[in-house]
Amino acid sequence: PFLAALPDGEAWRSLRLSESDPKDLSGFTWSAGGEEWTLQRDGVVWRRDGAQDATVDGGAVDAFLAEVAGLLAAGFRAEDAGEGAVEVARLELRRGDGSAERLELLRGPNVDLVRIDGEPGLREVSADVHDLLGRLRPFGPPAAE
């Protein structure tokens, strides 16, 4: 059931799904659809799996991370609201200070949910969240100049 009154005000952050500032991220791992890949920031350049020769379109990565930073939940749900839901994507954001934040997108029969590490319960989210996180969006190499 929807939690109108939060059970523990200290346990829930806000409706924002991510508290990470995209500028502070050193890398992230995204898995969806049976695939997984990692991007790491090397100064101002993003590289796939940290490889020196695998730069990707930094503008596309920055736009994606800005979208993630703007995602909001529609509400809070008890953990049992996720019964029968299937994990369809996972995003782990790593900050420059070594800390990380992990979001797990769950697709249920009637609602999409996100589980955030360290928080009780789940967050109900709109289909826009599934469209952004649930579909693998590979970042290709930057356009030739």
Side-chain angles (χ1 to χ4, degrees):
F2 183 78
L3 300 176
L6 302 180
D8 178 354
E10 295 299 314
W12 296 94
R13 293 187 322 236
S14 70
L15 289 175
R16 289 180 61 193
L17 296 184
S18 172
E19 292 295 316
S20 296
D21 181 340
K23 294 177 214 154
D24 294 336
L25 296 177
S26 62
F28 65 93
T29 299
W30 186 14
S31 58
E35 296 184 57
E36 178 176 292
W37 42 265
T38 298
L39 294 181
Q40 296 194 27
R41 188 188 313 254
D42 181 8
V44 296
V45 176
W46 284 97
R47 299 184 191 285
R48 187 180 309 266
D49 297 320
Q52 290 297 318
D53 58 349
T55 60
V56 296
D57 181 346
V61 174
D62 291 339
F64 167 73
L65 293 173
E67 284 184 77
V68 170
L71 293 175
L72 298 175
F76 301 95
R77 296 279 188 133
E79 183 70 32
D80 63 3
E83 289 179 19
V86 176
E87 181 181 313
V88 293
R90 181 177 295 179
L91 178 65
E92 181 177 318
L93 304 166
R94 288 180 304 286
R95 299 179 192 104
D97 65 5
S99 64
E101 176 178 52
R102 188 165 74 186
L103 311 175
E104 296 175 32
L105 176 64
L106 307 171
R107 182 141 254 200
N110 301 314
V111 66
D112 289 339
L113 302 161
V114 169
R115 176 180 291 122
I116 299 174
D117 278 354
E119 289 196 357
L122 303 167
R123 292 163 186 252
E124 182 178 337
V125 295
S126 70
D128 293 344
V129 174
H130 180 268
D131 290 343
L132 180 65
L133 298 181
R135 298 198 173 100
L136 195 64
R137 183 193 307 183
F139 296 102
E145 296 182 24

